[in-house]
């Protein structure tokens, strides 16, 4: 069964809007775990727009499930990760002006920088996942990097409007998934997934982990974090007790 990593960045976004101490992403992580989250994901951005260093430190001590730290391929971030030792680091691209992560890493452009980062993380005993677009050349470039997982960027799938565009994006994800599995990596996916579009992605053979943030936090505002996570878990194959997943 596909496991669910819940991204709690946007709880920190609300807190940072007032530069105060609530709501705390640590509370959200506890509620997410109670709702059935298999992992907690946070993105420590270089501009610290939402998650702060303190959040990652406290989460490292309190999260009982897998802690996945998303970060840019930068020496300062690598040093923080090596000190805090999350269970997994997902390397993502980062641009200051973006609203959210806009695409996968460009492995072809990053070259040795990504290799050096992966080596340091491995030496610290941290598993590495690479966030990549479902593009054959990018996935091929991961050959030999020895990473545990590749997370396919589902943003274009989520944005596609109309059946044929969505099916086209889904077909690309299926092909990319086969390539990821052929490399011997675990198959992860995320970005833009919600209660209505998640099931075809979860149904990709051998899909191991989905990382979902915005839609869960948005729903949590209405129904609470624990229930929002439980509803997403039902979408991933737990017994569905609500019509919401059928819309
Ligand atoms: N996976 C990665 C690598 C991401 O950068 C993000 C956004 O932080 C997500 C998953 C979650 O995306 P969303 O908030 O759209 O569910």
């Amino acid at each position: 069964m596909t496991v669910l990593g819940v991204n709690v960045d946007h709880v920190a976004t609300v807190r940072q809007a007032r530069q105060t101490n609530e709501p705390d992403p640590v509370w959200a992580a506890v509620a997410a775990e109670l709702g059935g989250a298999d992992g907690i994901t946070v993105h420590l951005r270089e501009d610290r727009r939402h998650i702060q260093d303190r959040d990652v430190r406290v989460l490292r001590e309190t999260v009982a499930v897998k802690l996945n730290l998303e970060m840019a391929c930068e020496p300062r971030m690598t040093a923080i990760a090596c000190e805090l030792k999350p269970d997994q680091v997902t390397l993502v691209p980062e641009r200051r002006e973006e609203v959210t992560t806009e695409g996968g890493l460009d492995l072809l452009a990053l070259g040795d920088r990504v290799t050096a980062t992966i080596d340091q993380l491995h030496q610290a005993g941290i598993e590495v996942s690479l966030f990549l677009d479902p593009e054959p050349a990018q996935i091929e470039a991961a050959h030999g990097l020895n990473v545990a997982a590749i997370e396919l960027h589902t943003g274009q799938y989520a944005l596609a409007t109309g059946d044929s565009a969505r099916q086209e994006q889904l077909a690309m994800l299926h092909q990319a998934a086969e390539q990821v599995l052929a490399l011997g990596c675990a198959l992860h996916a995320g970005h833009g997934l919600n209660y209505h579009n998640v099931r075809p992605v979860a149904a990709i053979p051998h899909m191991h982990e989905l990382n979902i943030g915005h839609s869960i936090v948005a729903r949590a505002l209405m129904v609470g974090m624990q229930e929002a996570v439980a509803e997403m878990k039902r979408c991933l194959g737990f017994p569905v007790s609500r019509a919401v997943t059928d819309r």
Side-chain angles (χ1 to χ4, degrees):
M1 179 118 26
T2 307
V3 301
L4 174 64
V6 175
N7 181 316
V8 295
D9 290 352
H10 290 312
V11 176
T13 302
V14 176
R15 178 191 61 192
Q16 295 311 111
R18 285 292 177 95
Q19 303 282 328
T20 180
N21 61 359
E22 63 176 5
D24 193 325
V26 176
W27 308 341
V30 172
E33 279 194 43
L34 289 172
D38 303 287
I40 300 296
T41 293
V42 286
H43 184 172
L44 186 66
R45 296 186 68 104
E46 289 185 273
D47 62 11
R48 304 299 196 270
R49 70 172 69 157
H50 39 52
I51 292 294
Q52 306 296 305
D53 299 56
R54 163 271 178 202
D55 300 330
V56 188
R57 265 199 313 277
V58 179
L59 287 167
R60 176 62 296 180
E61 287 178 16
T62 53
V63 166
V65 291
K66 174 173 171 177
L67 180 64
N68 174 33
L69 176 66
E70 293 174 0
M71 58 169 235
C73 224
E74 288 293 333
R76 282 186 307 266
M77 286 297 156
T78 310
I80 291 171
C82 289
E83 188 198 330
L84 296 180
K85 295 199 189 327
D87 302 291
Q88 174 178 285
V89 160
T90 301
L91 293 175
V92 299
E94 208 173 287
R95 289 195 305 122
R96 270 177 195 257
E97 58 278 21
E98 70 192 359
V99 175
T100 180
T101 318
E102 284 170 355
L105 283 172
D106 186 348
L107 283 185
L108 304 167
L110 277 167
D112 291 349
R113 220 165 94 197
V114 80
T115 320
T117 305
I118 293 168
D119 282 351
Q120 278 180 267
L121 293 167
H122 280 166
Q123 276 167 28
I126 302 166
E127 284 199 348
V128 179
S129 173
L130 301 176
F131 185 54
L132 299 180
D133 288 324
E135 278 180 21
Q138 290 295 340
I139 298 166
E140 186 50 40
H143 183 78
L145 292 180
N146 211 12
V147 290
I150 290 176
E151 178 173 334
L152 294 177
H153 178 224
T154 50
Q156 293 309 316
Y157 161 79
L159 287 175
T161 49
D163 264 4
S164 79
R166 183 154 293 188
Q167 286 310 321
E168 202 177 303
Q169 291 297 329
L170 192 58
M172 285 170 68
L173 288 168
H174 271 269
Q175 275 177 5
E178 282 180 22
Q179 229 188 322
V180 168
L181 295 166
L183 288 182
C185 298
L187 178 62
H188 298 179
H191 214 279
L193 297 176
N194 61 37
Y195 296 84
H196 313 299
N197 67 16
V198 72
R199 281 184 288 184
V201 177
I204 294 173
H206 304 288
M207 181 57 71
H208 177 63
E209 176 180 306
L210 296 179
N211 285 296
I212 308 180
H214 183 85
S215 64
I216 292 177
V217 174
R219 185 163 297 220
L221 288 176
M222 304 300 147
V223 304
M225 180 59 90
Q226 187 173 334
E227 178 57 21
V229 172
E231 285 181 18
M232 186 58 82
K233 288 283 289 190
R234 287 192 279 271
C235 289
L236 300 185
F238 279 71
V240 179
S241 61
R242 286 174 181 248
V244 66
T245 52
D246 294 329
R247 269 190 282 150

